[in-house]
C-alpha cells in the first residue's frame, strides 16, 4: 500500500531538513507526499473585524507568498531528489496547522507525518517547538519528529521503550515495521522494572510484540530501578540508536516525560528522530 506522507513546512532550514530525512528514509518505497504550508495572518479575526479590501489584500499577499514558497520547495526536491517512487502535491491553506492536519487525516489524504522540531540545545529551551507539541497532542496520526540539523542515518537500531501496559494492535506497530523491514533494523524493546514481576496483562502484551516482530531482529531488555529517561540515555551510550519510538498513551509515562516544559525536567537531550504513535488512531 502506498504511504501518504504529510510534510509540513514553514520554509525554514529545520523544515527542509525533515523533508530531506523523509525522502531518504522512504527512497525505496512508493509514497505520495503532501507539502503543506498553513498561514493565519495575525490581523485576521473574523469575530472582531470586518473583512474589508485592505484585509483581503493582506490575505492574498500571504497566500501568494505561501504558494511561491511551496513551488520553490518542490523545485528544490525535483532537482536534488529525482525519484520515480515519489509523487507530490502542494497545499497552501488559510488555517491553523493542527486543524488542517486533522482534516487531511480524517479525509484519508495522509496517514503519516514527518516534521522538524528545533529540539533542545540548552537548559532553558523546550524539547519540542510549539507546533510539534500541538500536533502530537491533537492529531491521531503517527508523527516522525526530526531534530534540527540531524543528518540522515539508516535506522539500523531502533529503541522502543514500553511498560507493556498497552494492548498492542497492528495499527500501533505497522509504522515501525514499515521502517524496520527495508533496513533490516534491529528493534530494542526496553522495559524499566522496579522489582515487581510483570502482570499477566503485561506478559500477554509482550507476547504480542514478540509475535508481531518475529520477522524482524529484536531484543527485549529489562533494566531495574531507573527512571525511564535515565534508562533511555544510558541505553543510548551502549547502543548507537538511530530512531526512538514511543506510543503516546494518555496518562502513560509518555506524557509525563515529554510534555514537560524545560529540558532539565526531562533529563536528556533528544538528538535522534522520534516516532510518536498515538494509542488511538
Amino acid at each position: 500500500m502506498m504511504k501518504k506522507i504529510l510534510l509540513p513546512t514553514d520554509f525554514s532550514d529545520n523544515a527542509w531538513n525533515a523533508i530531506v530525512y523523509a525522502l531518504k528514509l522512504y527512497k525505496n518505497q512508493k509514497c505520495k507526499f503532501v507539502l503543506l504550508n498553513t498561514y493565519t495572518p495575525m490581523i485576521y479575526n473574523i469575530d472582531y473585524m470586518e473583512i474589508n479590501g485592505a484585509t483581503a489584500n493582506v490575505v492574498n499577499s500571504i497566500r501568494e507568498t505561501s504558494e511561491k514558497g511551496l513551488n520553490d520547495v518542490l523545485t528544490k526536491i525535483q532537482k536534488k531528489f529525482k525519484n520515480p517512487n515519489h509523487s507530490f502535491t502542494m497545499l497552501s491553506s488559510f488555517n491553523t496547522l493542527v486543524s488542517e492536519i486533522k482534516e487531511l487525516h480524517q479525509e484519508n489524504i495522509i496517514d503519516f507525518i514527518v516534521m522538524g522540531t528545533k529540539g533542545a540545545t540548552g537548559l532553558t529551551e523546550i524539547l519540542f517547538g510549539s507546533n510539534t507539541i500541538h500536533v502530537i497532542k491533537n492529531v491521531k496520526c503517527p508523527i516522525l519528529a526530526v531534530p534540527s540539523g540531524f543528518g540522515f542515518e539508516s535506522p539500523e537500531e531502533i529503541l522502543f521503550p514500553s511498560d507493556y501496559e498497552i494492548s498492542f494492535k497492528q495499527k500501533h506497530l505497522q509504522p515501525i515495521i514499515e521502517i524496520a523491514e527495508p533496513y533490516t533494523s534491529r528493534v530494542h524493546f526496553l522495559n524499566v522494572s522496579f522489582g515487581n514481576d510483570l502482570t499477566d496483562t503485561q506478559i500477554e502484551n509482550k507476547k504480542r510484540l514478540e509475535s508481531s516482530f518475529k520477522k524482524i531482529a529484536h531484543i527485549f531488555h529489562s533494566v531495574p530501578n531507573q527512571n525511564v529517561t535515565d534508562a533511555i540515555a544510558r541505553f543510548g551510550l551502549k547502543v548507537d540508536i538511530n530512531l526512538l519510538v514511543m506510543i503516546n498513551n494518555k496518562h502513560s509515562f509518555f506524557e509525563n516525560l515529554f510534555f514537560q516544559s524545560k529540558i532539565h525536567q526531562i533529563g536528556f537531550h533528544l538528538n535522534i528522530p522520534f516516532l510518536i504513535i498515538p494509542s488511538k488512531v
Side-chain angles (χ1 to χ4, degrees):
M1 187 178 294
M2 186 175 288
K3 286 196 73 63
K4 296 169 288 189
I5 301 174
L6 180 70
L7 302 174
T9 179
D10 57 2
F11 312 126
S12 64
D13 290 342
N14 182 49
W16 172 250
N17 188 63
I19 290 170
V20 170
Y21 184 92
L23 297 177
K24 289 184 176 181
L25 181 67
Y26 291 107
K27 66 180 180 181
N28 295 320
Q29 297 184 48
K30 290 191 177 297
C31 301
K32 289 182 178 179
F33 290 102
V34 178
L35 293 167
L36 171 68
N37 176 253
T38 59
Y39 56 94
T40 49
M42 294 295 291
I43 66 165
Y44 181 87
N45 189 321
I46 198 166
D47 293 329
Y48 297 108
M49 68 179 294
E50 289 185 22
I51 308 302
N52 55 35
T55 305
N57 287 338
V58 171
V59 174
N60 289 336
S61 175
I62 296 175
R63 185 187 69 247
E64 289 170 4
T65 300
S66 172
E67 290 173 350
K68 181 184 183 302
L70 288 172
N71 273 300
D72 290 346
V73 170
L74 182 56
T75 299
K76 193 173 178 182
I77 290 171
Q78 291 170 336
K79 283 182 177 179
K80 293 177 176 286
F81 300 98
K82 289 183 180 177
N83 189 332
N85 288 322
H86 296 166
S87 63
F88 297 87
T89 57
M90 296 179 293
L91 180 58
S92 174
S93 177
F94 182 29
N95 202 350
T96 65
L97 181 63
V98 168
S99 295
E100 187 65 28
I101 293 176
K102 277 185 174 180
E103 291 173 20
L104 293 171
H105 187 233
Q106 288 166 0
E107 294 169 8
N108 199 32
I109 295 171
I110 61 165
D111 54 29
F112 196 82
I113 303 166
V114 181
M115 63 188 300
T117 173
K118 291 181 180 178
T121 56
L123 292 179
T124 61
E125 296 194 30
I126 59 172
L127 180 64
F128 289 133
S130 58
N131 277 340
T132 313
I133 285 289
H134 290 148
V135 174
I136 292 170
K137 282 189 171 183
N138 295 290
V139 177
K140 304 304 179 188
C141 182
I143 300 161
L144 180 53
V146 182
S148 181
F150 183 85
F152 179 78
E153 298 174 359
S154 297
E156 296 173 359
E157 305 287 349
I158 300 174
L159 179 59
F160 185 178
S162 177
D163 53 12
Y164 305 142
E165 293 287 356
I166 295 169
S167 181
F168 298 107
K169 295 180 173 57
Q170 198 61 27
K171 63 186 178 183
H172 297 133
L173 306 178
Q174 193 61 31
I176 311 166
I177 292 169
E178 288 175 355
I179 291 173
E181 279 185 338
Y183 290 96
T184 59
S185 306
R186 182 167 57 173
V187 180
H188 301 268
F189 299 105
L190 180 65
N191 176 253
V192 178
S193 65
F194 294 93
N196 299 320
D197 293 334
L198 295 178
T199 65
D200 290 344
T201 299
Q202 287 174 306
I203 291 171
E204 186 61 32
N205 291 337
K206 183 180 176 184
K207 285 180 180 176
R208 282 197 187 120
L209 283 178
E210 192 159 19
S211 174
S212 296
F213 285 84
K214 60 187 175 184
K215 294 182 180 179
I216 293 170
H218 62 272
I219 306 173
F220 287 94
H221 306 269
S222 180
V223 295
N225 304 319
Q226 295 180 32
N227 67 52
V228 179
T229 52
D230 285 345
I232 292 171
R234 290 177 184 179
F235 193 89
L237 294 175
K238 292 187 288 185
V239 179
D240 188 14
I241 297 299
N242 313 107
L243 178 66
L244 176 65
V245 177
M246 279 194 181
I247 294 181
N248 180 10
N249 189 33
K250 209 159 185 63
H251 308 305
S252 72
F253 64 79
F254 177 93
E255 281 202 340
N256 295 333
L257 287 179
F258 293 101
F259 292 153
Q260 304 293 333
S261 60
K262 301 295 183 184
I263 189 64
H264 70 267
Q265 292 174 296
I266 297 169
F268 74 105
H269 291 250
L270 188 67
N271 55 8
I272 57 173
F274 185 14
L275 174 58
I276 304 109
I277 301 169
S279 59
K280 295 180 181 178
V281 284

